[in-house]
Each structure stands twice: as structure tokens, then as C-alpha cells.
Amino acid sequence: MHSTPPYPLVIVKVGDTHDALREGRGDFEHWIADGLGTQTLPLVVVDPRRGDTLPAPGQVAGVVVTGSHAMVSHREPWSETTAAWLAELVARDTPVLGICYGHQLLAHALGGEAGHHPQGPEVGTVTVTLDAAAAGDALLGDLPAQFPAQAIHWQSALRLPEGAVKLAHSAHEPVHAFRVGAQAWGLQFHPEFDATTMGGYIELLARDLAADGLDAAALREGVRPTDAAAGLLGRFARIVEAEGAASRLSAPTGRRRATTKSGPRLG
């Protein structure tokens, strides 16, 4: 881990995609790194599930928490440790972006509640609508009032932390985005998923979806590109870079490899 500036933008890997999708396409952290596209900050991947040490809160420029097939409500030790760490980052006004599981974990970490959505899963390309509070938001403020996004979740942020600002919703999900503190955001949808990935998930989970009363073929037919949602990753990276001040602005312009303490993770 970098002990001197420029501090890294850390991807906290809390899950893995399916083997069939990983082969040839990479995993959550690769998709997120591609979307971030930072040219000025090192990218580092840590995986608390396998025992990676989370960096000192004062030695990170920003954090993205990936999605996961795990459930926040199970409160696994690695997840609870990550939650406590996220609370420290938010208290320091460090830029944080939680995606799906990360969105729910951020809510839980700050006193909210995550659990199973009472109306069941939301899967496929959905229409996300901005709330009035999103106007002027540094991350979501320039998005269209409605935009398509890829979603697949059985659990949700059922109750937001005190002081959190709800920013977006869908017909199914009341909280698709929120902000807490100065610059910590949760996104229930997946800005890192492209249409191929979304379609792959629907095909792989067709039997599970049918058990929940969902028509996988219809969901697959409805998958479409989600460029506006995808652009949020790059926008978040620009927010982190803007926080870098003079020390981070001196970082090399060549793109760094994302690494873990055990060596390179991303090319």
C-alpha cells in the first residue's frame, strides 16, 4: 500500500462474478477499473474476504466497493470489518462509492438497514428516476431525469442512515442512489455492467428467477445499453482526482496497474 502521496483509489472486492462470465471478460474489479479510467491515481484492489488488510483511512484517495453474491444481512466478519472501515472514511469526507452490495453495506455501516426487498428481486435493464434532491449533486446531478441502468439484487437498503439524502429510485426500488456526508454515494444499480454482462446474468440465473416469478426470456429481451449509468464511474474518478490537491497532481500521467498486497491484479 502507498504510504506517501499520491494515495491510491482503492477497489474493495467483496464478491466474484460467475465463472462463465469471468472467463474472457474479467471480474467486478476489472469492469470497475475500466469505467474509472483514472490516469493520475494508482488503482489498488483489496479483498477483505481473503484476509487482505484494509488500508489506513488517511492513506486512500477514494474507495469503490464492488457488488457481491453475498448478503449484507448475514453480517459476515469480513463484511462487518469493512463496514466499520467505511464509517471511518465517511467521517473523513473521503470519496466513497458503494455499488449494489457496497450500496447496502454503506447504509448498514452508518446506521441504516439492509435486508431482503419485500417485493422480491429486481433484475434487468430498469428505468431509474432522479429525485429532486439529485439536482446539483456532484455525482448524479448532470444525469437525465430518467435513464436506463442494469440491476440485479435481492436485498436493498431498507432504511437509510440518519442524514442521508435519497437521490434516485425505480418503480420497484425506492432507493437506487443516496448520498451521505459530503461525498459518499451508494448505487443499487450496476454502472460497471454492460448489456452483455446483464444478459449473461439473466441466462445463468434463469431458474432462480423463475422461482421468484420472473420471466427470464422477457428480461433478456429488455436488456439495452446504459451509457449514462456507466459514465458515473468516470465521474466518480474525476471527483477523487479533484480531491488530490498538489501532492496527487504530481502523480505520473501513465495509467498504473491496480494491485493488491500480493501483486498485480489488473492490467
PDB file of all heavy atoms in Angstrom, residues 223-253:
ATOM      1  N   VAL A 223     -33.022  -6.095 -22.209  1.00  0.00           N
ATOM      2  CA  VAL A 223     -31.694  -5.558 -21.900  1.00  0.00           C
ATOM      3  C   VAL A 223     -31.251  -4.599 -22.999  1.00  0.00           C
ATOM      4  O   VAL A 223     -31.398  -4.882 -24.197  1.00  0.00           O
ATOM      5  CB  VAL A 223     -30.676  -6.704 -21.741  1.00  0.00           C
ATOM      6  CG1 VAL A 223     -29.259  -6.154 -21.630  1.00  0.00           C
ATOM      7  CG2 VAL A 223     -31.013  -7.541 -20.511  1.00  0.00           C
ATOM      8  N   ARG A 224     -30.714  -3.451 -22.587  1.00  0.00           N
ATOM      9  CA  ARG A 224     -30.243  -2.453 -23.553  1.00  0.00           C
ATOM     10  C   ARG A 224     -29.043  -1.711 -22.971  1.00  0.00           C
ATOM     11  O   ARG A 224     -28.767  -1.821 -21.779  1.00  0.00           O
ATOM     12  CB  ARG A 224     -31.361  -1.482 -23.927  1.00  0.00           C
ATOM     13  CG  ARG A 224     -31.952  -0.686 -22.770  1.00  0.00           C
ATOM     14  CD  ARG A 224     -33.247  -0.001 -23.219  1.00  0.00           C
ATOM     15  NE  ARG A 224     -33.753   0.945 -22.241  1.00  0.00           N
ATOM     16  CZ  ARG A 224     -34.474   0.629 -21.187  1.00  0.00           C
ATOM     17  NH1 ARG A 224     -34.754  -0.647 -20.945  1.00  0.00           N
ATOM     18  NH2 ARG A 224     -34.925   1.566 -20.373  1.00  0.00           N
ATOM     19  N   PRO A 225     -28.328  -0.952 -23.772  1.00  0.00           N
ATOM     20  CA  PRO A 225     -27.166  -0.211 -23.277  1.00  0.00           C
ATOM     21  C   PRO A 225     -27.557   0.810 -22.214  1.00  0.00           C
ATOM     22  O   PRO A 225     -28.674   1.328 -22.209  1.00  0.00           O
ATOM     23  CB  PRO A 225     -26.622   0.470 -24.538  1.00  0.00           C
ATOM     24  CG  PRO A 225     -27.130  -0.352 -25.672  1.00  0.00           C
ATOM     25  CD  PRO A 225     -28.478  -0.827 -25.231  1.00  0.00           C
ATOM     26  N   THR A 226     -26.604   1.109 -21.325  1.00  0.00           N
ATOM     27  CA  THR A 226     -26.863   2.027 -20.212  1.00  0.00           C
ATOM     28  C   THR A 226     -25.698   3.005 -20.080  1.00  0.00           C
ATOM     29  O   THR A 226     -25.017   3.059 -19.063  1.00  0.00           O
ATOM     30  CB  THR A 226     -27.077   1.241 -18.905  1.00  0.00           C
ATOM     31  OG1 THR A 226     -25.942   0.379 -18.690  1.00  0.00           O
ATOM     32  CG2 THR A 226     -28.327   0.390 -18.963  1.00  0.00           C
ATOM     33  N   ASP A 227     -25.494   3.794 -21.118  1.00  0.00           N
ATOM     34  CA  ASP A 227     -24.319   4.662 -21.176  1.00  0.00           C
ATOM     35  C   ASP A 227     -24.308   5.711 -20.067  1.00  0.00           C
ATOM     36  O   ASP A 227     -23.255   6.034 -19.508  1.00  0.00           O
ATOM     37  CB  ASP A 227     -24.234   5.334 -22.542  1.00  0.00           C
ATOM     38  CG  ASP A 227     -23.958   4.343 -23.671  1.00  0.00           C
ATOM     39  OD1 ASP A 227     -23.537   3.213 -23.366  1.00  0.00           O
ATOM     40  OD2 ASP A 227     -24.177   4.709 -24.839  1.00  0.00           O
ATOM     41  N   ALA A 228     -25.457   6.303 -19.767  1.00  0.00           N
ATOM     42  CA  ALA A 228     -25.492   7.350 -18.742  1.00  0.00           C
ATOM     43  C   ALA A 228     -25.081   6.792 -17.389  1.00  0.00           C
ATOM     44  O   ALA A 228     -24.292   7.408 -16.658  1.00  0.00           O
ATOM     45  CB  ALA A 228     -26.892   7.960 -18.662  1.00  0.00           C
ATOM     46  N   ALA A 229     -25.602   5.622 -17.048  1.00  0.00           N
ATOM     47  CA  ALA A 229     -25.233   4.994 -15.770  1.00  0.00           C
ATOM     48  C   ALA A 229     -23.757   4.628 -15.762  1.00  0.00           C
ATOM     49  O   ALA A 229     -23.061   4.841 -14.758  1.00  0.00           O
ATOM     50  CB  ALA A 229     -26.096   3.755 -15.528  1.00  0.00           C
ATOM     51  N   ALA A 230     -23.258   4.086 -16.859  1.00  0.00           N
ATOM     52  CA  ALA A 230     -21.852   3.684 -16.933  1.00  0.00           C
ATOM     53  C   ALA A 230     -20.917   4.859 -16.720  1.00  0.00           C
ATOM     54  O   ALA A 230     -19.835   4.720 -16.131  1.00  0.00           O
ATOM     55  CB  ALA A 230     -21.571   3.018 -18.276  1.00  0.00           C
ATOM     56  N   GLY A 231     -21.329   6.039 -17.166  1.00  0.00           N
ATOM     57  CA  GLY A 231     -20.481   7.212 -17.045  1.00  0.00           C
ATOM     58  C   GLY A 231     -20.247   7.669 -15.616  1.00  0.00           C
ATOM     59  O   GLY A 231     -19.340   8.484 -15.367  1.00  0.00           O
ATOM     60  N   LEU A 232     -21.026   7.140 -14.664  1.00  0.00           N
ATOM     61  CA  LEU A 232     -20.851   7.546 -13.274  1.00  0.00           C
ATOM     62  C   LEU A 232     -19.507   7.103 -12.701  1.00  0.00           C
ATOM     63  O   LEU A 232     -18.969   7.761 -11.806  1.00  0.00           O
ATOM     64  CB  LEU A 232     -21.987   6.988 -12.419  1.00  0.00           C
ATOM     65  CG  LEU A 232     -23.359   7.611 -12.671  1.00  0.00           C
ATOM     66  CD1 LEU A 232     -24.428   6.881 -11.877  1.00  0.00           C
ATOM     67  CD2 LEU A 232     -23.358   9.094 -12.323  1.00  0.00           C
ATOM     68  N   LEU A 233     -18.959   6.012 -13.200  1.00  0.00           N
ATOM     69  CA  LEU A 233     -17.661   5.564 -12.701  1.00  0.00           C
ATOM     70  C   LEU A 233     -16.574   6.584 -13.037  1.00  0.00           C
ATOM     71  O   LEU A 233     -15.771   6.965 -12.173  1.00  0.00           O
ATOM     72  CB  LEU A 233     -17.306   4.194 -13.274  1.00  0.00           C
ATOM     73  CG  LEU A 233     -18.119   3.028 -12.720  1.00  0.00           C
ATOM     74  CD1 LEU A 233     -17.874   1.768 -13.552  1.00  0.00           C
ATOM     75  CD2 LEU A 233     -17.786   2.774 -11.257  1.00  0.00           C
ATOM     76  N   GLY A 234     -16.542   7.041 -14.283  1.00  0.00           N
ATOM     77  CA  GLY A 234     -15.569   8.058 -14.656  1.00  0.00           C
ATOM     78  C   GLY A 234     -15.788   9.361 -13.911  1.00  0.00           C
ATOM     79  O   GLY A 234     -14.826  10.034 -13.523  1.00  0.00           O
ATOM     80  N   ARG A 235     -17.044   9.713 -13.690  1.00  0.00           N
ATOM     81  CA  ARG A 235     -17.329  10.944 -12.945  1.00  0.00           C
ATOM     82  C   ARG A 235     -16.836  10.823 -11.505  1.00  0.00           C
ATOM     83  O   ARG A 235     -16.302  11.777 -10.940  1.00  0.00           O
ATOM     84  CB  ARG A 235     -18.829  11.226 -12.984  1.00  0.00           C
ATOM     85  CG  ARG A 235     -19.203  12.568 -12.371  1.00  0.00           C
ATOM     86  CD  ARG A 235     -20.646  12.909 -12.651  1.00  0.00           C
ATOM     87  NE  ARG A 235     -20.894  12.984 -14.084  1.00  0.00           N
ATOM     88  CZ  ARG A 235     -22.113  13.153 -14.614  1.00  0.00           C
ATOM     89  NH1 ARG A 235     -23.164  13.255 -13.839  1.00  0.00           N
ATOM     90  NH2 ARG A 235     -22.258  13.217 -15.922  1.00  0.00           N
ATOM     91  N   PHE A 236     -17.015   9.637 -10.900  1.00  0.00           N
ATOM     92  CA  PHE A 236     -16.511   9.455  -9.546  1.00  0.00           C
ATOM     93  C   PHE A 236     -14.992   9.576  -9.520  1.00  0.00           C
ATOM     94  O   PHE A 236     -14.423  10.197  -8.616  1.00  0.00           O
ATOM     95  CB  PHE A 236     -16.942   8.098  -8.992  1.00  0.00           C
ATOM     96  CG  PHE A 236     -16.435   7.836  -7.598  1.00  0.00           C
ATOM     97  CD1 PHE A 236     -16.981   8.490  -6.504  1.00  0.00           C
ATOM     98  CD2 PHE A 236     -15.396   6.938  -7.373  1.00  0.00           C
ATOM     99  CE1 PHE A 236     -16.511   8.271  -5.219  1.00  0.00           C
ATOM    100  CE2 PHE A 236     -14.918   6.707  -6.094  1.00  0.00           C
ATOM    101  CZ  PHE A 236     -15.478   7.375  -5.017  1.00  0.00           C
ATOM    102  N   ALA A 237     -14.325   8.996 -10.509  1.00  0.00           N
ATOM    103  CA  ALA A 237     -12.867   9.110 -10.561  1.00  0.00           C
ATOM    104  C   ALA A 237     -12.427  10.564 -10.653  1.00  0.00           C
ATOM    105  O   ALA A 237     -11.437  10.966 -10.030  1.00  0.00           O
ATOM    106  CB  ALA A 237     -12.312   8.317 -11.743  1.00  0.00           C
ATOM    107  N   ARG A 238     -13.171  11.388 -11.407  1.00  0.00           N
ATOM    108  CA  ARG A 238     -12.811  12.798 -11.516  1.00  0.00           C
ATOM    109  C   ARG A 238     -12.987  13.507 -10.165  1.00  0.00           C
ATOM    110  O   ARG A 238     -12.200  14.401  -9.822  1.00  0.00           O
ATOM    111  CB  ARG A 238     -13.689  13.494 -12.560  1.00  0.00           C
ATOM    112  CG  ARG A 238     -13.689  12.911 -13.964  1.00  0.00           C
ATOM    113  CD  ARG A 238     -12.361  12.983 -14.658  1.00  0.00           C
ATOM    114  NE  ARG A 238     -11.497  11.862 -14.332  1.00  0.00           N
ATOM    115  CZ  ARG A 238     -11.660  10.626 -14.832  1.00  0.00           C
ATOM    116  NH1 ARG A 238     -12.661  10.328 -15.629  1.00  0.00           N
ATOM    117  NH2 ARG A 238     -10.797   9.667 -14.512  1.00  0.00           N
ATOM    118  N   ILE A 239     -14.006  13.110  -9.402  1.00  0.00           N
ATOM    119  CA  ILE A 239     -14.198  13.680  -8.069  1.00  0.00           C
ATOM    120  C   ILE A 239     -13.005  13.340  -7.178  1.00  0.00           C
ATOM    121  O   ILE A 239     -12.475  14.190  -6.466  1.00  0.00           O
ATOM    122  CB  ILE A 239     -15.510  13.157  -7.449  1.00  0.00           C
ATOM    123  CG1 ILE A 239     -16.717  13.756  -8.178  1.00  0.00           C
ATOM    124  CG2 ILE A 239     -15.587  13.478  -5.950  1.00  0.00           C
ATOM    125  CD1 ILE A 239     -18.045  13.130  -7.809  1.00  0.00           C
ATOM    126  N   VAL A 240     -12.560  12.077  -7.237  1.00  0.00           N
ATOM    127  CA  VAL A 240     -11.417  11.659  -6.424  1.00  0.00           C
ATOM    128  C   VAL A 240     -10.165  12.408  -6.850  1.00  0.00           C
ATOM    129  O   VAL A 240      -9.390  12.894  -6.012  1.00  0.00           O
ATOM    130  CB  VAL A 240     -11.203  10.138  -6.527  1.00  0.00           C
ATOM    131  CG1 VAL A 240      -9.983   9.707  -5.723  1.00  0.00           C
ATOM    132  CG2 VAL A 240     -12.445   9.382  -6.036  1.00  0.00           C
ATOM    133  N   GLU A 241      -9.964  12.526  -8.148  1.00  0.00           N
ATOM    134  CA  GLU A 241      -8.789  13.232  -8.638  1.00  0.00           C
ATOM    135  C   GLU A 241      -8.796  14.699  -8.205  1.00  0.00           C
ATOM    136  O   GLU A 241      -7.748  15.259  -7.859  1.00  0.00           O
ATOM    137  CB  GLU A 241      -8.733  13.123 -10.165  1.00  0.00           C
ATOM    138  CG  GLU A 241      -8.381  11.722 -10.651  1.00  0.00           C
ATOM    139  CD  GLU A 241      -8.599  11.540 -12.141  1.00  0.00           C
ATOM    140  OE1 GLU A 241      -9.282  12.389 -12.753  1.00  0.00           O
ATOM    141  OE2 GLU A 241      -8.105  10.553 -12.692  1.00  0.00           O
ATOM    142  N   ALA A 242      -9.983  15.317  -8.222  1.00  0.00           N
ATOM    143  CA  ALA A 242     -10.086  16.718  -7.827  1.00  0.00           C
ATOM    144  C   ALA A 242      -9.744  16.934  -6.366  1.00  0.00           C
ATOM    145  O   ALA A 242      -9.300  18.018  -5.969  1.00  0.00           O
ATOM    146  CB  ALA A 242     -11.490  17.238  -8.110  1.00  0.00           C
ATOM    147  N   GLU A 243      -9.916  15.879  -5.556  1.00  0.00           N
ATOM    148  CA  GLU A 243      -9.581  15.960  -4.139  1.00  0.00           C
ATOM    149  C   GLU A 243      -8.082  15.803  -3.906  1.00  0.00           C
ATOM    150  O   GLU A 243      -7.587  15.951  -2.796  1.00  0.00           O
ATOM    151  CB  GLU A 243     -10.313  14.849  -3.367  1.00  0.00           C
ATOM    152  CG  GLU A 243     -11.792  15.106  -3.171  1.00  0.00           C
ATOM    153  CD  GLU A 243     -12.049  16.227  -2.192  1.00  0.00           C
ATOM    154  OE1 GLU A 243     -11.635  16.088  -1.025  1.00  0.00           O
ATOM    155  OE2 GLU A 243     -12.638  17.238  -2.577  1.00  0.00           O
ATOM    156  N   GLY A 244      -7.359  15.454  -4.978  1.00  0.00           N
ATOM    157  CA  GLY A 244      -5.960  15.103  -4.822  1.00  0.00           C
ATOM    158  C   GLY A 244      -5.041  16.229  -4.408  1.00  0.00           C
ATOM    159  O   GLY A 244      -3.982  15.978  -3.855  1.00  0.00           O
ATOM    160  N   ALA A 245      -5.386  17.476  -4.691  1.00  0.00           N
ATOM    161  CA  ALA A 245      -4.545  18.629  -4.364  1.00  0.00           C
ATOM    162  C   ALA A 245      -3.160  18.477  -4.988  1.00  0.00           C
ATOM    163  O   ALA A 245      -2.918  17.658  -5.862  1.00  0.00           O
ATOM    164  CB  ALA A 245      -4.474  18.835  -2.858  1.00  0.00           C
ATOM    165  N   ALA A 246      -2.225  19.253  -4.544  1.00  0.00           N
ATOM    166  CA  ALA A 246      -0.925  19.334  -5.201  1.00  0.00           C
ATOM    167  C   ALA A 246      -0.169  18.013  -5.183  1.00  0.00           C
ATOM    168  O   ALA A 246       0.473  17.642  -6.161  1.00  0.00           O
ATOM    169  CB  ALA A 246      -0.093  20.426  -4.547  1.00  0.00           C
ATOM    170  N   SER A 247      -0.237  17.283  -4.080  1.00  0.00           N
ATOM    171  CA  SER A 247       0.555  16.063  -3.982  1.00  0.00           C
ATOM    172  C   SER A 247       0.096  15.014  -4.969  1.00  0.00           C
ATOM    173  O   SER A 247       0.914  14.317  -5.572  1.00  0.00           O
ATOM    174  CB  SER A 247       0.488  15.495  -2.561  1.00  0.00           C
ATOM    175  OG  SER A 247      -0.846  15.168  -2.214  1.00  0.00           O
ATOM    176  N   ARG A 248      -1.226  14.909  -5.170  1.00  0.00           N
ATOM    177  CA  ARG A 248      -1.712  13.913  -6.109  1.00  0.00           C
ATOM    178  C   ARG A 248      -1.571  14.382  -7.538  1.00  0.00           C
ATOM    179  O   ARG A 248      -1.444  13.578  -8.465  1.00  0.00           O
ATOM    180  CB  ARG A 248      -3.166  13.572  -5.795  1.00  0.00           C
ATOM    181  CG  ARG A 248      -3.319  12.857  -4.475  1.00  0.00           C
ATOM    182  CD  ARG A 248      -4.766  12.526  -4.212  1.00  0.00           C
ATOM    183  NE  ARG A 248      -4.955  12.242  -2.803  1.00  0.00           N
ATOM    184  CZ  ARG A 248      -6.039  12.553  -2.126  1.00  0.00           C
ATOM    185  NH1 ARG A 248      -7.025  13.178  -2.719  1.00  0.00           N
ATOM    186  NH2 ARG A 248      -6.152  12.239  -0.850  1.00  0.00           N
ATOM    187  N   LEU A 249      -1.619  15.683  -7.750  1.00  0.00           N
ATOM    188  CA  LEU A 249      -1.455  16.188  -9.105  1.00  0.00           C
ATOM    189  C   LEU A 249      -0.063  15.902  -9.654  1.00  0.00           C
ATOM    190  O   LEU A 249       0.160  15.971 -10.856  1.00  0.00           O
ATOM    191  CB  LEU A 249      -1.723  17.693  -9.138  1.00  0.00           C
ATOM    192  CG  LEU A 249      -3.191  18.089  -8.906  1.00  0.00           C
ATOM    193  CD1 LEU A 249      -3.312  19.591  -8.851  1.00  0.00           C
ATOM    194  CD2 LEU A 249      -4.075  17.519  -9.993  1.00  0.00           C
ATOM    195  N   SER A 250       0.867  15.569  -8.763  1.00  0.00           N
ATOM    196  CA  SER A 250       2.218  15.248  -9.208  1.00  0.00           C
ATOM    197  C   SER A 250       2.369  13.789  -9.603  1.00  0.00           C
ATOM    198  O   SER A 250       3.457  13.355  -9.969  1.00  0.00           O
ATOM    199  CB  SER A 250       3.221  15.573  -8.096  1.00  0.00           C
ATOM    200  OG  SER A 250       3.019  14.715  -6.973  1.00  0.00           O
ATOM    201  N   ALA A 251       1.270  13.002  -9.544  1.00  0.00           N
ATOM    202  CA  ALA A 251       1.341  11.588  -9.910  1.00  0.00           C
ATOM    203  C   ALA A 251       1.682  11.446 -11.385  1.00  0.00           C
ATOM    204  O   ALA A 251       1.319  12.297 -12.204  1.00  0.00           O
ATOM    205  CB  ALA A 251       0.011  10.899  -9.628  1.00  0.00           C
ATOM    206  N   PRO A 252       2.373  10.355 -11.783  1.00  0.00           N
ATOM    207  CA  PRO A 252       2.686  10.128 -13.197  1.00  0.00           C
ATOM    208  C   PRO A 252       1.418  10.052 -14.023  1.00  0.00           C
ATOM    209  O   PRO A 252       0.377   9.601 -13.545  1.00  0.00           O
ATOM    210  CB  PRO A 252       3.413   8.770 -13.176  1.00  0.00           C
ATOM    211  CG  PRO A 252       3.927   8.638 -11.777  1.00  0.00           C
ATOM    212  CD  PRO A 252       2.947   9.331 -10.905  1.00  0.00           C
ATOM    213  N   THR A 253       1.507  10.495 -15.269  1.00  0.00           N
ATOM    214  CA  THR A 253       0.330  10.505 -16.123  1.00  0.00           C
ATOM    215  C   THR A 253       0.030   9.149 -16.716  1.00  0.00           C
ATOM    216  O   THR A 253      -1.072   8.909 -17.182  1.00  0.00           O
ATOM    217  CB  THR A 253       0.501  11.519 -17.258  1.00  0.00           C
ATOM    218  OG1 THR A 253       1.696  11.196 -17.983  1.00  0.00           O
ATOM    219  CG2 THR A 253       0.620  12.915 -16.701  1.00  0.00           C
TER     220      THR A 253
END
